[in-house]
Amino acid sequence: MSGTGAGDDTGSVVSDADATVEVGEPLVKVRDLKKYYEDDGFLGGKPVKAVDGVSFDIRKGETLGLVGESGCGKTTLGRTILGLESATGGDVTSNGREVASLSGRELREWQRDAQMVFQDPDASLNDRMTVGEIVREPLDAHDWKGRTERKERVFELLDLVGLNEEHYYRYPHQFSGGQRQRVGIARALALEPEFIVLDEPVSALDVSVQARVINLLEDLQAELGLTYLFIAHDLSVVRHIADRVAVMYLGDIVELGDTEAVYTDPAHPYTASLLSAIPGSHTETERRRITLRGTPPSPRDPPQGCRFATRCPAKVRPAEFDDLSATAWERIDALHTVLRERQNAESGLGEQLKRRLGLAANASDIEEVVDDLFERDGGGAGGGPGDDGLLTDAARTAVEDAVRFARQGDDAEATAVLREAFGSVCNRERPEDHVVGDDGRTSACVRHTDEYDEPTVVIDRRYGRDDD
Amino acid sequence: MSTITDSEDPAAIAALDGTESFLERVLAYPRPAAVWTVVALALFALEAGAVAHFVATLLVDLVRALPGTYDPAAFSRLASATAQVPTLLSRETIPNAGYWNGRSFVGTFLQLPPHLAWFLRVGLVYVYSFAFVAWIWVGFDRYRRYYRAADWSPRDDVIDRFRNHYWGIFGLVVVFMFVVMAVFAPALGPTTVEKNMQNPYGHTITHWDAEQNEPTQVTVGQANRASQSRGTRTNNVAPLSYDQFGRYHPFGTLPTGRDLFTFIAAGARISLVIGLLSVSLSIAIASTLALLSAYYKGAVDLSFVLLSDAVMALPQLLLLIMLTVVLSGTWIGNLYNGAFVLALIFAGTGWPYMWRSFRGPALQVAQREWVDAARSFGQRPTAIMRKHMLPYITGYVLIYGSMTLGGAIIAIAGLSYLGLGVNPPTPEWGRAVNAGQPYVDTVSWHISLIPGVLITLVVTGFNALGDGVRDAIDPESDSAAGEAGGRGGGA
């Protein structure tokens, strides 16, 4: 049951590369894939870096889970791999075919080999067509055999996904969410693909239905030898279905490895934080819950260096500030985030003009923030952060400098000051993938080098029970 | 929801499992289909001669219109042969000719007064038309009940909602009556355009001359001159009255003495043809461009925006005047008495407004995930636009089409009121309004008022139909397309 079904393609030559990939070998290779969305705005602006240099393999016959917070670029990655979005850079190859540059017969072949199941079965099925027409459409689009064979094939597919033949003439409206998703799966299977991107296929369904659809997907994989890229934000679903899992943050894959290994012993600080967010999970890992502060930064302007540095619980800190308390770091990071956000805030033309002219745009905001963060007593405009012992002298000087710039409306300079003072290798270098463990797992964190302590060790030290 | 499994349905239908084709289902239970077909054929047979004659004359016109020297003789023979086929609703079957010789009616239908004969004919035409439509509805209902494999479709809901929309049904009835008037125009009029307007001195009528106490022949032209409506008591033929030659005038006469009802019925045909032609051309252009805009976006969309802005910047009225002058006398300018050119100009200048209305919904539907899904398995762009986008703008097409059609009718009337547009003496409603203008405050008020009221009624009907269709298709968008109704004036 592999590949395009060579016999179906009457008269046309079938690619030699077809079906040469053994189970376990890479079926789809993604190398340094980038997808930027350019801004059409008048003032130009930076592109949104939805996927920013991602490399991994999807092995034949496996289920690769892709997890991450909303907006981290999971779906874009899946769509770019399929060729639904044109990649900005890098490439996707499968069976020796370069997906981005395919055209004509080869493109048609790829469109048969790779399919997608969409998140929302309400939205992905045209509700003016009957289920039969919907499932038959890929066959029609590829001129698959004759009319009667197509109808037979649709009946076969409906049966395969657990629907009945009499559903052929019903409309999507008449089905429950789970049944609709089965229709979507039947449509994806119509052309006998070998690779399917499942874009959060169960997240729109009732929990009671999710399990059944997941089981169906697993059965189909076993029966048809399918390869899945399973995109989800529900970590427990991924743990259930995926053989390997890739963790994505802000357009980048931070950790990739065998599901069980990643789940039981996360290597990357982000993975650790994410897993710790699963209710009940911290009892299993015997670790305190690590709260991820704030929201991910805008992909339009990702942080320099490590993407996760702004929220990282294991961020490398400069030696001279070693004696700062956890609370102090939390506050400083918060101030940093506020300043960054101010800097990148979409501001109107008037605001921009004011800033250019050096007029303080919204100085009062920053005063309030600093007051809140450092409990500064209202000692007039010149008053520095409070002397409650939270900050050391050096730290306080840096914070004061930053606040001064911010007060003048120069958020860029203020951010730079903070980065200069409290930044580290995490803010300067984009970490490379490091192999961790003995099963080829990779994790992109500088702490995997010998120079630094392992992330988990640091997290335990900073957030572990003894630190309580 | 499920009508197939209703207990009253015969076992043959209940036994089907829902996977058979339409033909198999008909064969399994052929009675409703057979009965329907027999009655439909019987209804059609009543008018078969007229249909055949219409097709034959169309062929003759087509051959004549083609720039070439084909001999239409063969088709002309066919046309005259088909004219001989008797049809129930022709003026020959129920004539309203004849006269009163002082004691009884001579040569009238069943010895009835001519006005009763005319009413009978008109009544029959409308009864027949409504029966025909009702029978088509019965057919659809039977199809839905017995033969459609799907026991429910989204269109059923649309139809159900429309059936409860009384304003929309009012519109539908008005529009339908207007269409029937246009289609049966030759049979409806008390006389014909050919006899009464185009060649009045080539035809004669027999009337009873009271002074000489005997039937007398007179040409229609002479009779017309003596039955003018010119605003004085002695010089007026009011609605629902006979003139002195015993001719019945349901709507009275024009200042020229011609029959106003015949004029209006024939004018309905012209209005409908121009309206339908221009609106369907506009729709074709507008929806194609809207789909392309929405699917490809970017440069394609921008170029259409520029193009439509350019077209919208053209002064439509000036263009109309100019082109009618330039094209008058050419073969295209003479097609259908100049109506064809008018329709082309309306379509050519009217599509940008429609395109703008379709573009929004098209852009919306292009964002839907099923369009993406279709792209993901390699569906061709044309098929995506046709199957996944077009059905979602059809509602807007119907709404704007219906409302624009009303606008086109106003525009055509407005143009002929100004003395432009359709070449005289071809009847056109606007020209009747114009002709009656000097007499609005006299006894001859009917000349302007009747066509004026009819224009208003028909345009209201088209707008009401559009409203009904909109509410039926999308019950939530109560006023989403409301601004379309305002556009219309045209000229």
Side-chain angles (χ1 to χ4, degrees), chain B residues 22-145:
Chain B
F22 172 67
L23 198 64
E24 286 167 340
R25 297 176 73 85
V26 171
L27 291 176
Y29 185 56
R31 209 172 67 91
V35 171
W36 186 85
T37 313
V38 167
V39 175
L41 283 177
L43 272 175
F44 178 75
L46 293 175
E47 280 295 296
V51 174
H53 182 62
F54 174 73
V55 172
T57 45
L58 204 66
L59 279 174
V60 174
D61 287 349
L62 199 70
V63 171
R64 283 208 188 113
L66 285 176
T69 52
Y70 303 107
D71 183 19
F75 293 109
S76 300
R77 272 197 301 280
L78 182 68
S80 47
T82 52
Q84 304 307 314
V85 181
T87 56
L88 172 68
L89 302 169
S90 70
R91 48 190 321 106
E92 286 77 23
T93 317
I94 310 174
N96 60 324
Y99 52 89
W100 175 256
N101 67 3
R103 292 178 306 278
S104 66
F105 283 104
V106 178
T108 62
F109 177 70
L110 298 176
Q111 301 295 311
L112 288 169
H115 74 273
L116 285 185
W118 179 80
F119 273 120
L120 180 65
R121 195 165 74 222
V122 171
L124 271 181
V125 165
Y126 274 95
V127 166
Y128 174 82
S129 308
F130 277 99
F132 198 83
V133 167
W135 196 246
I136 287 173
W137 170 256
V138 168
F140 173 70
D141 208 41
R142 291 189 171 196
Y143 163 70
R144 200 158 66 159
R145 188 179 177 79

Side-chain angles (χ1 to χ4, degrees), chain A residues 79 108 111 115 118 120 123-129 137 141-142 151 155 165-166 169 171 173-174 187, chain B residues 1 17-20 149-155 369-370 372-373 376-380 387-388 391-392:
Chain A
R79 293 168 56 92
R108 304 291 290 171
Q111 286 165 340
Q115 297 291 329
F118 292 82
D120 185 355
S124 63
L125 305 178
N126 183 345
D127 50 23
R128 306 266 170 112
M129 287 164 77
E137 204 192 347
H142 286 263
K151 198 166 172 181
F155 288 148
E165 289 192 352
E166 73 223 37
Y169 288 107
Y171 286 85
H173 271 308
Q174 295 165 290
R187 173 174 64 185
Chain B
M1 190 188 279
D17 68 356
T19 59
E20 293 81 3
D151 57 1
W152 175 87
S153 100
R155 278 169 288 277
E369 216 166 41
W370 62 72
D372 256 352
S376 79
F377 56 72
Q379 183 60 282
R380 284 169 279 264
K387 289 171 84 171
H388 297 293
Y392 290 86

Side-chain angles (χ1 to χ4, degrees), chain A residues 94-105:
Chain A
S94 172
N95 281 337
R97 295 170 298 197
E98 167 82 61
V99 171
S101 59
L102 289 180
S103 64
R105 191 173 58 81

Side-chain angles (χ1 to χ4, degrees), chain B residues 110-361:
Chain B
L110 298 176
Q111 301 295 311
L112 288 169
H115 74 273
L116 285 185
W118 179 80
F119 273 120
L120 180 65
R121 195 165 74 222
V122 171
L124 271 181
V125 165
Y126 274 95
V127 166
Y128 174 82
S129 308
F130 277 99
F132 198 83
V133 167
W135 196 246
I136 287 173
W137 170 256
V138 168
F140 173 70
D141 208 41
R142 291 189 171 196
Y143 163 70
R144 200 158 66 159
R145 188 179 177 79
Y146 301 116
Y147 304 123
R148 189 175 65 188
D151 57 1
W152 175 87
S153 100
R155 278 169 288 277
D156 289 2
D157 282 359
V158 172
I159 290 167
D160 286 346
R161 278 193 295 267
F162 188 81
R163 288 171 76 179
N164 292 319
H165 197 287
Y166 295 113
W167 178 233
I169 289 175
F170 162 77
L172 182 65
V173 169
V174 169
V175 166
F176 180 67
M177 290 182 75
F178 171 70
V179 171
V180 168
M181 185 185 235
V183 170
F184 287 92
L188 285 175
T191 176
T192 62
V193 174
E194 158 70 13
K195 274 187 202 159
N196 195 247
M197 296 164 207
Q198 281 173 342
N199 191 12
Y201 289 96
H203 293 88
T204 54
I205 52 163
T206 310
H207 75 107
W208 184 258
D209 193 328
E211 285 168 22
Q212 295 170 22
N213 216 20
E214 60 175 17
T216 315
Q217 295 274 330
V218 66
T219 64
V220 175
Q222 282 172 303
N224 281 353
R225 280 225 309 257
S227 42
Q228 297 174 337
S229 294
R230 291 224 176 245
T232 59
R233 289 235 166 263
T234 50
N235 233 351
N236 183 43
V237 180
L240 300 175
S241 65
Y242 287 91
D243 62 15
Q244 61 187 91
F245 299 94
R247 299 182 300 175
Y248 184 62
H249 297 290
F251 283 179
T253 61
L254 284 158
T256 51
R258 293 168 178 173
D259 181 60
L260 181 57
F261 189 92
T262 310
F263 189 92
I264 282 178
R269 206 174 239 201
I270 289 271
S271 297
L272 187 69
V273 167
I274 301 178
L276 278 182
L277 196 62
S278 68
V279 168
S280 41
L281 272 175
S282 287
I283 285 176
I285 300 171
S287 52
T288 310
L289 296 193
L291 290 176
L292 290 171
S293 263
Y295 186 80
Y296 292 107
K297 301 188 183 76
V300 175
D301 187 32
L302 187 68
S303 64
F304 291 156
V305 169
L306 293 177
L307 181 66
S308 79
D309 281 353
V311 173
M312 282 161 103
L314 289 174
Q316 196 190 22
L317 187 59
L318 286 183
L319 194 74
L320 271 167
I321 296 172
M322 208 174 70
L323 281 179
T324 35
V325 172
V326 169
L327 292 175
S328 68
T330 63
W331 69 272
I332 193 169
N334 288 333
L335 269 185
Y336 204 53
N337 303 310
F340 187 70
V341 168
L342 265 189
L344 284 189
I345 298 171
F346 279 136
T349 52
W351 67 262
Y353 300 93
M354 263 193 196
W355 172 76
R356 294 210 158 228
S357 313
F358 298 166
R359 180 172 164 263

